[in-house]
């Protein structure tokens, strides 16, 4: 979940057989093991663990055992005091308990409902439904949360995919502008450190 290399598959490149290219993304010593990620390693630990089942693999790496890292990836907001919300139990994402370190709040029903809802997938949602989901994510989770990024990226991609069926250049420009505005929120928002 914290790879030191990235893999790229080249299919049918110049009429040759498929090729696997491995590129170091950090300094790798001669004695270090080269590690790649099998899945999206930016999502919270329970999702990573679930996705790794398909590879018959249970990860026990540093990222999977670092509770602070995983709490930051989930990024639930405490609307009472804006304290740090931490996972209290090791159950699945659907049933685990969260608690704010600062005020002791344990009512994060909206976040749990959101997590359950998004596990069904966003691919089948309309653009309007994705916009509502993204707005809800920004209200429930911190700006750097994986859930905010995932909802925003899906929405932006859906807007860009809709360009193919745009009626005219004006609609194409409108769709592009909306997608860019979402990317601005995701990219610039994560740098600013200010709340939504």
């Amino acid at each position: 979940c914290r790879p030191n290399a990235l893999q790229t598959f080249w299919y049918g490149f110049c009429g040759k057989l498929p090729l696997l290219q491995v590129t170091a993304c950090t300094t790798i010593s001669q004695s270090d093991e080269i590690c790649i990620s099998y899945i999206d390693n930016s999502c919270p630990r329970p999702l990573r663990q679930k996705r790794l089942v398909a590879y018959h693999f249970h990860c026990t790496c540093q990222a999977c055992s670092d509770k602070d890292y995983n709490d930051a990836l989930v990024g639930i907001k405490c609307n009472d005091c804006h304290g740090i919300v931490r996972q209290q139990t090791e159950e699945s994402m659907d049933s685990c308990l969260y608690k704010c370190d600062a005020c002791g709040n344990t009512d994060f029903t909206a976040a749990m409902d959101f997590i359950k809802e998004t596990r069904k997938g966003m691919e089948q949602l309309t653009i309007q439904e994705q916009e509502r989901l993204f707005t809800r994510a920004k209200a429930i989770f911190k700006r750097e949360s994986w859930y905010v990024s995932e909802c925003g990226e899906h929405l932006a991609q859906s807007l860009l995919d809709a360009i193919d069926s745009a009626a005219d250049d004006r609609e194409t420009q409108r769709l592009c502008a909306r997608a860019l505005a979402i990317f601005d929120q995701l990219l610039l928002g994560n740098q600013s450190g200010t709340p939504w």
Side-chain angles (χ1 to χ4, degrees), residues 162-173:
I163 290 171
D164 290 340
S165 59
D168 54 30
D169 287 345
R170 192 170 171 187
E171 185 179 356
T172 298
Q173 290 174 349

Side-chain angles (χ1 to χ4, degrees), residues 76-121:
I76 298 173
K77 281 185 195 176
C78 179
N79 289 323
D80 291 349
C81 73
H82 304 290
I84 297 171
V85 177
R86 299 191 187 280
Q87 183 176 341
Q88 301 297 304
T89 57
E90 291 298 321
E91 292 107 20
S92 72
M93 289 291 289
D94 290 349
S95 60
C96 62
L97 299 173
Y98 288 90
K99 182 178 180 181
C100 176
D101 276 357
C103 71
N105 181 13
T106 57
D107 182 12
F108 298 102
T109 306
M112 298 312 300
D113 290 346
F114 186 93
I115 290 168
K116 288 177 192 174
E117 185 179 335
T118 56
R119 285 188 63 193
K120 297 174 190 169

